[in-house]
Amino acid sequence: MNANTVDLIAEIGELRRSREAVILAHNYQIPEIQDLADFTGDSLALSRQAARTDKPVIVFCGVHFMAETASVLCPDKQVLLPDLGAGCSLAESISPQQLRKWKAQFPGAVVVSYVNTSAEIKAESDYCCTSSNAIQVVQAIPPEREILFLPDMFLGAHVERMTGRKMHVWMGECHVHAGIDPERLDLLAQHHPHAEALIHPECGCTTPALYLAGEGRLSVPIKVLSTEGMVRYAAESDTQDFLVATEVGILHRMRQEAPNKRFHAVNPRASCRFMKRITLDKVRDALLRMQFEVKVPEDVAERARLPIERMTAIG
Ligand code: 13P
Ligand code: SF4
């Protein structure tokens, strides 16, 4: 670490104290941000942390929809996103108008939105979920009810498979996870026959990988898990090598939590440019200038709160 970085981290530390701020970081953030944060975790854990903090300021090192979720859960706090360009291609894949039109086609259907959606989409939803609890959320809905699940088609397919429940699934995808394909996984598995594969349900390889594993044609066992689930599983399992199918930022966390194990990215180029927009300089500037505040208008927040609270309560 060079002297500038050390000074910058010290400056952030002082500002964090004087502003009475908590710094939350997603598992895909750059290592320096993960190390600096008060708490690093997946979408569900970060939402819960935001809801329970007693600090008046939350610096959200993640992407815009995460800061919005924190704003809905904590309307009295100041939520800062260090770079407003930190968006999400998956969240962009459905607009409120598209959702309203979809709902009109299926009156009475229950709308389940993945957390990777805007607050306006959440305000049009009955339940929100994350990759950690999507299965439990769908299981909590009476079996006779029709479900509209959005926006991720790979997560939707995984939930259908695990619950045995047929849903209407929006055809959205995350460009980073969709680029993690079954061929790469298969090739890496051949090189590491004693490894286990940990796959995020947003990945394009999830369905084909499960199919290949079911047919006995994939040489390693697989587990479909949220980012936090991967960290936990790797630390607890007896396996030494893991093939990791998600955004590469997670590898830093995994190596910290299980330093004696080996982690191999299924696609080393699977890097989210939105997550990587957050840098130490921008976190310092966020605290110095109290920028950029993400505040969900109260009329939207009021409607988004119940589905988000259902999400944080389940699983
Ligand atoms: P989780 O951290 O909830 O698994 O979500 C991954 C993700 O894509 C966030 O952008
Ligand atoms: Fe969105 Fe994909 Fe980036 Fe996650 S990894 S923030 S889903 S674009």
Side-chain angles (χ1 to χ4, degrees), residues 207-220 222:
T207 301
L210 284 165
Y211 174 76
L212 289 175
E215 296 272 296
R217 284 162 51 204
L218 194 70
S219 50
V220 299
I222 62 176

Side-chain angles (χ1 to χ4, degrees), residues 26-28 41-46 63 65-66 87-88 90 114-116 129-133 152 174 176-177 200-202 225-230 246-247 250 272 275:
H26 188 265
N27 287 325
Y28 297 160
D42 69 358
S43 312
L44 184 61
L46 292 175
V63 293
F65 73 79
M66 296 179 177
C88 169
L90 177 57
Y114 190 31
V115 68
N116 296 43
C129 68
T130 73
S131 55
S132 284
N133 66 1
D152 190 84
C174 154
V176 179
H177 286 89
H200 195 277
E202 280 178 31
L225 296 164
S226 73
T227 56
E228 201 58 28
M230 289 183 184
T246 191
E247 208 271 356
I250 189 75
C272 175
M275 286 281 180

Side-chain angles (χ1 to χ4, degrees), residues 215-246:
E215 296 272 296
R217 284 162 51 204
L218 194 70
S219 50
V220 299
I222 62 176
K223 287 265 172 319
V224 181
L225 296 164
S226 73
T227 56
E228 201 58 28
M230 289 183 184
V231 174
R232 214 174 307 125
Y233 184 83
E236 286 166 7
S237 159
D238 290 333
T239 303
Q240 294 303 306
D241 282 87
F242 295 92
L243 316 183
V244 182
T246 191

